[in-house]
Amino acid sequence: MKKTSVLPSRTGLAFVLTWIVLSLHVGCDEEQRFGVGNKGGRVIELDDTNFDSAISTFDYILVDFYAPWCGHCQRLSPQLDSAAPLLADGDKPIVLAKINADKFTGIASKYEVSAYPTLKFFINGFPTDYTGPRKAELLIPYLKKFAAPEVSILKSNHEVQEFIEGSEKIFPIFIGFDIKESLLVSLAKQYKKRAWFAVAEEFSDEVMVEYHFDKKPALLALRPEYREKDIFYGPFEGGYLEEFIQQNLLPLCVPIRYDTLKLLKEYARPIVLTIMKDEREDESLQLIGTLKDAAFDNRDLIFAYVGLEQWEEFVDTFNVGKKTKFPKIIVWNGDSEYLSVVGSETSSVENLESEITGFLEGYRKGKTVKQSIKEPSFSDFLKSFISIGSVCVIVFVIAILVVVWNMSISENEERTKMEILREGRLAEGMQFSDAMELNLENTEN
């Protein structure tokens, strides 16, 4: 019996090689046609002729669905222009593109775009809604996280250091030492948008000394933006690992800002909120340090602070007035109610530590008074939901309506005058006609 050869023929092999070369050539041509790649860096203008080609050509592409008349779109455009060259230049380039959704309504409808601007991030052709930051300096690291692996594998001291230095500082960093990758993968996927994850498979004692941990396995948590770190030695099962990661996604004491406030909404823990006059004052900085110490020993609570000078509108909702004594400490549920602890007013900077301890003891014993946050006034509502640009647009529209209304009144007045004049002239004509008829009658007689 003849043996059948499984080797490809020369013709078949030539066909396969030609197909591979052509595929690579077509891919290069596509990138050159869009004018991007490792040396690119502009925002691509898409339309109905090249949209599908673009999202299939690039592994990572963020598309801005905009309308030319949209003010928010106009403000977003320069941010994307600034971010594009920095995102296109890398091992895994991320391309930025835009399409006039007001003109190409078919594509907008296909991707369920109902507001402008809408951002969609396509990963290997599959879209996901982008709801992250839109300022260039924050958008860049946020998008880079999408292109990064869930868990990076580090095989030397140098790679550990390189990973820490290369990670964007706005995100926490978690590195497992002598921890199996499988323990972190699912959590890394869950928190991919909010933290960097890695496993160090090979490292020396020098790394342990530098980051102050003395045994392994261990999970190192770094928060570079706040210069904070923490070490977890286990247990690594039963939810303890995830609890540690959740606690370290936030700094020990969170400064209340618009972005951090949105982040706090995702947590079910009560918030120990300290309201101070000005965060920049020396006494406030000392207080923040004391709050961090308290936060470390009370991880079931979230500690946060805000200054009256930094965000007056937010502070005002907690019934802060001219007679309020600072600092004011409350426990907030993140919604419409907060708790004051009876007899917990702070009296001096020297006694802050003991007074905070007393506040927490009073809270845990239930010595509290429930209060409701102050409802915002109509003007506060406008400040919160209508931007200055929107107000300008509203004023402009109202001005046009007033002008049109005045013009219509003027036209009506002119029309009325013309009708009166016409009626006057008609009356004069009738009088003249009557006089002529009278003259004719007299002449005939």
Side-chain angles (χ1 to χ4, degrees):
M1 180 183 290
K2 263 189 172 183
K3 290 185 179 179
T4 306
S5 174
V6 294
L7 293 174
S9 66
R10 290 182 180 179
T11 305
L13 186 60
F15 175 79
V16 170
L17 290 173
T18 302
W19 181 81
I20 292 172
V21 171
L22 285 174
S23 297
L24 293 172
H25 180 67
V26 168
C28 292
D29 283 349
E30 284 294 297
E31 292 201 4
Q32 289 173 3
R33 183 165 69 86
F34 288 113
V36 295
N38 288 336
K39 294 184 179 180
R42 65 181 179 86
V43 178
I44 306 168
E45 183 75 45
L46 301 177
D47 54 37
D48 55 0
T49 66
N50 63 2
F51 186 91
D52 292 337
S53 179
I55 63 173
S56 62
T57 298
F58 304 107
D59 293 337
Y60 305 98
I61 177 169
L62 178 74
V63 180
D64 169 25
F65 292 82
Y66 75 96
W69 45 262
C70 168
H72 292 293
C73 301
Q74 292 163 10
R75 287 189 288 275
L76 174 62
S77 183
Q79 299 295 329
L80 297 180
D81 290 336
S82 299
L86 297 174
L87 288 167
D89 187 19
D91 296 332
K92 293 183 177 180
I94 300 171
V95 176
L96 301 188
K98 60 183 179 180
I99 183 168
N100 184 346
D102 194 38
K103 180 179 180 181
F104 301 105
T105 55
I107 294 175
S109 176
K110 178 180 178 181
Y111 292 100
E112 300 178 349
V113 174
S114 58
Y116 307 115
T118 291
L119 297 176
K120 300 271 185 180
F121 193 50
F122 292 82
I123 302 176
N124 297 318
F126 294 96
T128 182
D129 290 329
Y130 176 83
T131 56
R134 297 185 177 188
K135 288 188 177 180
E137 64 270 21
L138 297 176
L139 180 142
I140 292 167
Y142 198 89
L143 285 178
K144 281 184 175 179
K145 286 215 48 47
F146 280 96
E150 274 80 14
V151 180
S152 298
I153 305 300
L154 313 176
K155 298 193 175 184
S156 67
N157 289 3
H158 175 71
E159 288 189 8
V160 170
Q161 197 63 34
E162 200 174 55
F163 178 79
I164 293 171
E165 291 176 356
S167 302
E168 300 294 340
K169 291 185 177 181
I170 64 170
F171 296 105
I173 301 168
F174 296 94
I175 304 178
F177 294 88
D178 272 3
I179 291 178
K180 292 181 179 179
E181 181 187 357
S182 57
L183 282 174
L184 282 180
V185 168
S186 61
L187 292 171
K189 286 181 179 178
Q190 185 177 344
Y191 298 106
K192 181 179 177 70
K193 297 179 182 179
R194 294 168 53 186
W196 298 97
F197 290 87
V199 167
E201 292 184 343
E202 297 177 28
F203 56 94
S204 69
D205 293 344
E206 293 176 6
V207 172
M208 298 175 67
V209 171
E210 183 176 357
Y211 292 102
H212 304 96
F213 63 100
D214 54 7
K215 58 183 179 180
K216 47 192 179 180
L219 180 64
L220 170 67
L222 298 172
R223 294 179 294 277
E225 187 177 7
Y226 301 96
R227 298 180 181 179
E228 296 175 355
K229 71 175 182 63
D230 202 355
I231 302 291
F232 182 66
Y233 293 113
F236 295 98
E237 63 279 329
Y240 296 105
L241 180 59
E242 182 173 6
E243 183 180 352
F244 175 79
I245 289 171
Q246 284 183 339
Q247 290 173 350
N248 284 276
L249 289 172
L250 296 171
L252 285 170
C253 199
V254 184
I256 295 293
R257 304 287 183 268
Y258 179 72
D259 55 337
T260 57
L261 194 59
K262 288 198 300 182
L263 193 61
L264 290 177
K265 292 285 186 182
E266 300 178 17
Y267 293 85
R269 287 180 284 163
I271 302 165
V272 178
L273 177 62
T274 300
I275 300 171
M276 51 192 71
K277 189 173 182 180
D278 190 338
E279 298 171 9
R280 299 165 295 186
E281 293 177 347
D282 290 340
E283 290 185 359
S284 297
L285 295 174
Q286 184 179 340
L287 171 58
I288 292 168
T290 306
L291 289 170
K292 287 182 179 181
D293 293 337
F296 191 82
D297 296 326
N298 296 271
R299 299 310 288 264
D300 60 321
L301 303 172
I302 294 175
F303 283 71
Y305 65 90
V306 63
L308 176 66
E309 293 291 327
Q310 281 68 40
W311 197 353
E312 184 177 355
E313 291 83 6
F314 176 77
V315 169
D316 187 54
T317 60
F318 295 97
N319 302 291
V320 172
K322 292 181 180 179
K323 296 182 179 180
T324 300
K325 188 175 181 180
F326 294 105
K328 177 179 180 178
I329 307 178
I330 60 173
V331 179
W332 182 38
N333 65 357
D335 197 3
S336 59
E337 295 179 339
Y338 66 93
L339 300 175
S340 296
V341 175
V342 178
S344 65
E345 287 191 2
T346 53
S347 58
S348 65
V349 176
E350 290 76 16
N351 298 323
L352 277 176
E353 187 173 348
S354 61
E355 288 177 353
I356 290 171
T357 301
F359 175 90
L360 294 171
E361 287 177 355
Y363 164 69
R364 294 191 186 281
K365 290 179 180 179
K367 297 178 180 179
T368 59
V369 177
K370 184 181 291 186
Q371 293 179 268
S372 298
I373 65 171
K374 186 170 71 176
E375 292 296 328
S377 65
F378 182 70
S379 61
D380 293 333
F381 180 85
L382 285 177
K383 286 178 184 177
S384 300
F385 292 96
I386 303 179
S387 65
I388 293 175
S390 300
V391 171
C392 291
V393 171
I394 292 170
V395 171
F396 179 70
V397 170
I398 292 172
I400 290 175
L401 291 173
V402 170
V403 171
V404 171
W405 183 64
N406 286 331
M407 287 176 64
S408 65
I409 290 176
S410 299
E411 287 180 5
N412 288 334
E413 289 177 350
E414 287 295 325
R415 191 178 297 110
T416 303
K417 289 178 181 178
M418 291 296 292
E419 288 175 354
I420 292 171
L421 185 61
R422 192 180 299 112
E423 288 174 0
R425 287 178 180 175
L426 183 60
E428 290 176 358
M430 290 177 67
Q431 289 175 1
F432 178 77
S433 176
D434 290 342
M436 288 293 292
E437 288 180 4
L438 185 61
N439 287 335
L440 284 172
E441 286 177 4
N442 291 334
T443 302
E444 288 176 356
N445 294 328

